[in-house]
Amino acid sequence: MLEYTLCNELLAKEGRSLAEQARVAAALGYCGLELAPATLGDAPHDLSAQVIADLRAVIEAEGLRVTGLHWLLSGYPDLSITDPARQGRTQDILVKLVELCAALGGEVLIHGSPKQRLRPEGMEDAALTAHLAAFFAPVAKAAEQAGVIYCIEPLSRAEDNTINTVAQGAALARAIGSPAFKTMIDISAAGQTEPPVADLIRQWVPTGMIGHIHANDTNRGAPGMGDDPFPEIVAALLDTGWNRPVGVEPFRTLIDARVTAATAIATLLACEKACA
């Protein structure tokens, strides 16, 4: 069976405490929480060791674990991975977020954050890959030292003009050349950009270049809130031997965050049962 972890920001936006978020996720059958750093405070990269230990304990008290971090730079609107004038501070904060992830017990970081990764005007693909590889090299080294995986997330062309396909993400990972730096598949973005997603999973998971999967519908809702073929997608994950938590990441709610999270895991488990 697959494991499912719940991205926490919809629950956080409802004003639920971290303990409440963990309690909801545990009751629904999730194995953990995938945290957006901005939900942990204004400067999550500067949290003290004691605060980090307390946060981890709150989640583990509900029988869950922190599986990783995502939306890494959403709380840092002034940062950029592509603007040379801002890259230094951005690198420093990302390295600290790598350390935060490891201290929380997480295993993976997902780098989306489209507003902080705009392509420099006129920069072609090859030059962009080299530019980003130089930027991410110290971040990848920090991830390797911390024992976590750092993933660049291909986003839809409606969100981003930097990395939109799994092949582009894999090209960046190869240019960096670190086993701790990979790409990933966001089912919503991939469903918009390079469907069918089941075929994409079958193509890329066996390569070892995929460090994470986000489960969401192309309509930005949870699995079960749209028309994406999740039976085929789940079958592809099972057939390729996917053995890491799948992050459920809806961007909009059905009634509220709890119902949305319940719909997602019920849909995914039903797909697994159908495969069996």
Side-chain angles (χ1 to χ4, degrees):
M1 289 183 63
L2 298 170
E3 284 190 305
Y4 301 104
T5 182
L6 181 61
C7 295
N8 77 316
E9 60 273 5
L10 288 183
L11 289 167
K13 286 179 180 177
E14 292 182 348
R16 295 177 185 262
S17 69
L18 190 60
E20 290 174 314
Q21 296 167 36
R23 205 167 296 125
V24 167
L28 294 174
Y30 288 92
C31 72
L33 290 178
E34 185 178 313
L35 301 175
T39 66
L40 303 179
D42 293 335
H45 64 286
D46 273 339
L47 294 175
S48 70
Q50 185 59 59
V51 169
I52 294 169
D54 291 345
L55 293 171
R56 180 172 178 172
V58 163
I59 293 170
E60 293 180 352
E62 300 299 331
L64 300 186
R65 66 187 192 271
V66 175
T67 56
L69 305 180
H70 69 288
W71 275 23
L72 301 182
L73 297 180
S74 64
Y76 304 93
D78 59 324
L79 298 186
S80 171
I81 68 172
T82 53
D83 179 1
R86 294 180 282 167
Q87 283 181 319
R89 174 165 165 75
T90 305
Q91 273 181 342
D92 292 344
I93 286 177
L94 289 177
V95 167
K96 289 183 178 181
L97 291 179
V98 165
E99 295 166 354
L100 171 64
C101 181
L104 286 168
E107 297 179 349
V108 64
L109 296 94
I110 311 305
H111 191 120
S113 305
K115 294 180 181 179
Q116 290 82 25
R117 63 188 241 185
L118 299 177
R119 180 190 290 250
E121 188 172 351
M123 185 174 283
E124 299 296 331
D125 287 351
L128 178 65
T129 298
H131 184 69
L132 291 176
F135 170 82
F136 277 118
V139 180
K141 183 178 180 180
E144 197 167 342
Q145 291 172 341
V148 300
I149 299 295
Y150 195 102
C151 296
I152 188 70
E153 180 174 16
L155 298 174
S156 73
R157 294 187 175 93
E159 298 177 274
D160 175 53
N161 63 354
T162 300
I163 293 180
N164 305 116
T165 68
V166 174
Q168 289 172 327
L172 176 58
R174 291 190 184 102
I176 292 168
S178 167
F181 194 101
K182 299 178 183 289
T183 189
M184 54 86 66
I185 296 174
D186 179 278
I187 291 170
S188 176
Q192 297 172 59
T193 306
E194 45 186 339
V197 176
D199 289 355
L200 200 67
I201 289 169
R202 294 181 191 279
Q203 176 187 354
W204 283 102
V205 167
T207 69
M209 300 298 294
I210 304 301
H212 194 54
I213 304 288
H214 271 158
N216 37 29
D217 197 275
T218 51
N219 69 8
R220 309 283 280 173
M225 288 172 59
D227 298 322
D228 282 19
F230 275 96
E232 289 87 349
I233 291 167
V234 169
L237 289 171
L238 294 170
D239 290 346
T240 55
W242 184 258
N243 60 2
R244 301 188 185 103
V246 174
V248 170
E249 189 194 28
F251 296 94
R252 61 185 186 85
T253 58
L254 174 65
I255 302 177
D256 62 17
R258 188 187 189 286
V259 173
T260 303
T263 300
I265 197 167
T267 298
L268 294 166
L269 291 173
C271 292
E272 281 195 67
K273 186 175 180 180
C275 290

